[in-house]
C-alpha cells in the first residue's frame, strides 16, 4: 500500500492534501531542473563574456603607447578580471551543484514513498560518476582546464 492509497482511505480531505502535495512536489522538481539549466547557461555566458573582456584588455594593453598604462592593464586589471570571472563562474557551479544535490535527495525520497524509482536523472548521473564512467571524468577535466587557464592569465 503506497502513500496515496493510505490517504485515500483516510477520507476525501486527505486525498486533496495528497494531490496537492504531489503537485507541489512536481512543481518544485521542475523549478529546480529549470534552475540547473539556467545555471548552466549562466556558466557559459560568464565564460564567454569573461574571455571577451580578457581579450579586450590584452588588446588594449598591447595598443597603449605608455608603458605605465600597459603595466597597469597587464599587472592589475587582467589578473583582477580573470579572478572575477572565475569567482562568478564558480558561483554558478555551486548553484548548479546545490540544486542537483537537493534533487538527488528528492528523487530518493520519492522512490522510498512510491516504492519505485520514477525520477531517475540525478540518481543515474551520480551512479555513473561513482562507477567511474569516462564522461564524468571529462567534466572534471574541463573544470580543471578552465580554472587553470584563468589562473594562469591572472599570474
Amino acid at each position: 500500500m503506497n502513500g496515496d492509497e493510505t490517504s485515500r482511505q483516510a477520507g476525501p480531505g486527505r486525498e486533496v492534501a495528497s494531490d496537492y502535495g504531489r503537485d507541489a512536489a512536481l512543481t518544485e522538481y521542475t523549478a529546480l531542473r529549470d534552475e540547473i539549466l539556467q545555471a548552466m547557461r549562466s556558466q557559459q555566458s560568464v565564460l564567454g563574456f569573461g574571455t571577451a573582456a580578457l581579450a579586450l584588455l590584452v588588446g588594449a594593453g598591447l595598443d597603449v603607447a605608455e608603458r605605465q598604462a600597459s603595466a597597469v592593464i597587464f599587472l592589475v586589471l587582467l589578473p583582477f578580471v580573470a579572478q572575477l570571472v572565475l569567482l562568478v563562474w564558480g558561483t554558478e557551479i555551486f548553484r548548479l551543484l546545490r540544486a542537483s544535490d537537493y534533487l538527488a535527495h528528492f528523487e530518493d525520497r520519492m522512490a522510498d514513498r512510491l516504492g519505485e524509482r520514477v525520477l531517475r536523472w540525478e540518481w543515474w548521473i551520480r551512479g555513473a560518476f561513482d562507477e567511474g564512467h569516462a564522461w564524468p571524468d571529462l567534466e572534471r577535466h574541463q573544470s580543471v582546464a578552465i580554472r587553470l587557464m584563468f589562473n594562469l592569465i591572472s599570474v
Side-chain angles (χ1 to χ4, degrees):
M1 184 181 299
N2 66 27
D4 287 340
E5 291 172 4
T6 303
S7 65
R8 289 190 200 324
Q9 290 177 356
R14 294 279 301 175
E15 183 177 332
V16 170
S18 177
D19 289 343
Y20 175 76
R22 183 179 53 243
D23 291 346
L26 288 175
T27 300
E28 178 182 41
Y29 187 84
T30 301
L32 286 168
R33 293 292 326 149
D34 290 343
E35 177 81 12
I36 288 171
L37 293 174
Q38 181 57 44
M40 292 170 72
R41 284 189 290 269
S42 294
Q43 287 173 38
Q44 293 302 315
S45 294
V46 166
L47 290 177
F49 287 122
T51 302
L54 292 172
L56 286 172
L57 284 172
V58 168
L62 294 173
D63 192 45
V64 172
E66 294 181 28
R67 293 185 80 154
Q68 278 186 319
S70 182
V72 168
I73 289 172
F74 284 112
L75 297 176
V76 177
L77 290 178
L78 198 66
F80 175 77
V81 171
Q83 289 302 307
L84 183 64
V85 169
L86 270 180
L87 176 69
V88 175
W89 179 72
T91 301
E92 290 301 323
I93 286 181
F94 181 73
R95 175 179 160 198
L96 180 144
L97 291 174
R98 184 182 57 211
S100 176
D101 191 52
Y102 183 86
L103 285 181
H105 293 294
F106 179 88
E107 289 177 5
D108 289 341
R109 287 191 314 272
M110 291 299 289
D112 290 344
R113 182 171 184 200
L114 299 174
E116 65 177 306
R117 190 167 288 282
V118 295
L119 301 171
R120 299 174 178 264
W121 176 252
E122 296 299 331
W123 169 79
W124 179 81
I125 198 124
R126 288 169 193 268
F129 185 75
D130 291 341
E131 293 172 13
H133 289 277
W135 62 267
D137 287 339
L138 179 62
E139 288 177 349
R140 187 177 307 129
H141 294 314
Q142 288 173 339
S143 177
V144 168
I146 289 168
R147 286 186 180 111
L148 181 64
M149 178 183 75
F150 280 92
N151 277 322
L152 287 175
I153 289 170
S154 69
V155 173

